[in-house]
Amino acid sequence: MAKQFYGVELSSPLMLGTAQYPSPEILSEAVTAAQPGVVTVSLRRESAGERAGQAFWSLIRKLGVPVLPNTAGCHTVKEAVTTAHMAREVFGTDWIKLEVIGELDTLQPDVFGLVEAARILSEDGFKVFPYTTEDLVVAEKLLGAGCEVLMPWGAPIGSGKGLNNLFGLRAMRAHFADVPLVVDAGIGVPSHAAQALELGYDAVLINTAVAKAGDPALMAQAFKFAVKAGVLAREADPMEERDMAVPSTPLIGKAMLA
Amino acid sequence: MKIVVNEQEHNVSATTLAALIDELGYGGARVATALNGDFVPVTHRKDALLKDGVKIEIVAPMQGG
């Protein structure tokens, strides 16, 4: 049975970002094709004249998909906590994808600030989805801080490199068997998403892989099928890997022709 | 009074954050606000007094990953 995220069962294990699409129309087409369980959104400065944010919000409302606001671009605990409060008011949800970025080349999370911000926000009633690494010690501290979901990276944000540390992700899945886990960041193609779900991850969060595809709506559809395949494969209990060949065609009854 | 909104200088007559939102033309918009880096909920904007040189942030929904 699918795990719940803070008591909510998502309609799909696909979480889709809304940034970097060529146009609002293509974003709409991609969301419609992907049928994601949530879409991620953010906050930026609003100009009173342009009101770009108001137009974006009405587009998201029309799509009818639950939103997961993020604190993207925040580098300090204070920035992230303040952004989370602003997001809660603007989007009307206490869900927050918590990012506290620590390093610019890899956009690796500052896990020390992340744990501190997660504690502050959890105590204030937020339901925190922390963008973290596959480090088990950090994960344990995030759970201790009140998080009920963990979102380890597959690879650096926007890199499209897939699941960079399979051993680490497997270990995390095995160690936190009952915790909803989401691979966030680094997924480049649908097979990466299927692989995460085959490993037993409960969801994947994708943005650039769809938005920067030549045909975002078609790629969104490919991801929809990939996550479905991954879930079915996990339920079907994949075979064990072996180092040596084992014939699949029975040898009994084979004609002696030599 | 001279204040800074989203890193741009404004000369305004509003003395509260609520009045500023109206004066700058954000009335009715879905925005969140911060004053000198601290979040000010919509219900507290009428009590948030502006002083010369304060820094205001006004944000709205935007695409995100």
Side-chain angles (χ1 to χ4, degrees):
Chain A
M1 206 179 89
K3 286 198 191 71
Q4 296 193 328
F5 296 84
Y6 291 100
V8 175
E9 190 170 332
L10 300 183
S11 62
S12 161
L14 182 56
M15 299 178 168
L16 187 63
T18 57
Q20 305 186 80
Y21 291 82
S23 70
E25 293 72 28
I26 292 175
L27 164 63
S28 284
E29 287 168 18
V31 172
T32 303
Q35 298 178 359
V38 296
V39 289
T40 54
V41 290
S42 196
L43 288 174
R44 285 295 179 266
R45 285 171 172 162
E46 180 80 324
S47 143
E50 292 175 12
R51 290 194 174 217
Q54 311 308 303
F56 171 68
W57 180 238
S58 83
L59 183 152
I60 292 296
R61 291 284 297 271
K62 267 190 218 151
L63 292 169
V65 181
V67 296
L68 173 60
N70 70 25
T71 64
C74 291
H75 289 256
T76 67
V77 172
K78 182 171 191 310
E79 255 188 310
V81 168
T82 303
T83 302
H85 279 279
M86 293 171 119
R88 180 160 68 177
E89 184 175 90
V90 164
F91 294 109
T93 175
D94 50 15
W95 282 21
I96 190 77
K97 180 191 159 189
L98 181 61
E99 291 185 29
V100 183
I101 299 300
E103 206 277 315
L104 278 179
D105 284 336
T106 59
L107 297 179
Q108 179 167 345
D110 165 4
V111 293
F112 304 98
L114 182 69
V115 171
E116 190 183 338
R119 175 166 289 112
I120 293 167
L121 291 170
S122 297
E123 285 173 358
D124 205 3
F126 283 88
K127 301 195 167 50
V128 178
F129 292 65
Y131 167 60
T132 185
T133 65
E134 64 278 51
D135 187 305
L136 298 184
V137 180
V138 172
E140 198 71 69
K141 288 187 187 301
L142 286 167
L143 297 176
C147 298
E148 295 179 18
V149 174
L150 298 169
M151 302 182 77
W153 62 351
I157 295 171
S159 69
K161 288 186 176 299
L163 309 187
N164 224 7
N165 180 0
L166 269 179
F167 169 78
L169 291 171
R170 274 204 191 99
M172 193 174 214
R173 179 67 288 174
H175 194 72
F176 300 105
D178 299 326
V179 177
L181 299 179
V182 183
V183 170
D184 176 11
I187 287 179
V189 286
S191 55
H192 297 154
Q195 188 182 22
L197 291 155
E198 286 163 12
L199 289 179
Y201 276 72
D202 301 288
V204 287
L205 200 162
I206 289 138
N207 191 154
T208 313
V210 171
K212 291 297 184 189
D215 184 338
L218 192 59
M219 188 59 85
Q221 196 181 14
F223 271 102
K224 180 183 78 171
F225 291 130
V227 298
K228 186 74 183 161
V231 168
L232 290 175
R234 175 70 177 179
E235 284 173 8
D237 189 13
M239 64 168 277
E240 293 290 327
E241 259 187 48
R242 290 185 284 225
D243 287 334
M244 304 302 286
V246 177
S248 49
T249 304
L251 293 177
I252 298 169
K254 180 182 173 293
M256 296 295 286
L257 304 173
Chain B
M1 167 166 40
K2 274 190 181 162
I3 62 168
V4 178
V5 179
N6 291 350
E7 270 189 355
Q8 292 197 330
E9 274 202 8
H10 288 261
N11 216 332
V12 298
S13 56
T15 55
T16 67
L17 187 50
L20 178 74
I21 292 291
D22 284 337
E23 184 176 334
L24 294 181
Y26 288 98
R30 185 176 275 263
V31 292
T33 51
L35 193 158
N36 288 338
D38 293 324
F39 171 57
V40 180
V42 65
T43 50
H44 294 186
R45 283 182 199 157
K46 62 181 185 318
D47 303 318
L49 299 178
L50 304 182
K51 291 179 184 163
D52 223 30
V54 291
K55 290 182 176 169
I56 305 292
E57 291 287 339
I58 301 175
V59 298
M62 193 52 61
Q63 295 85 344

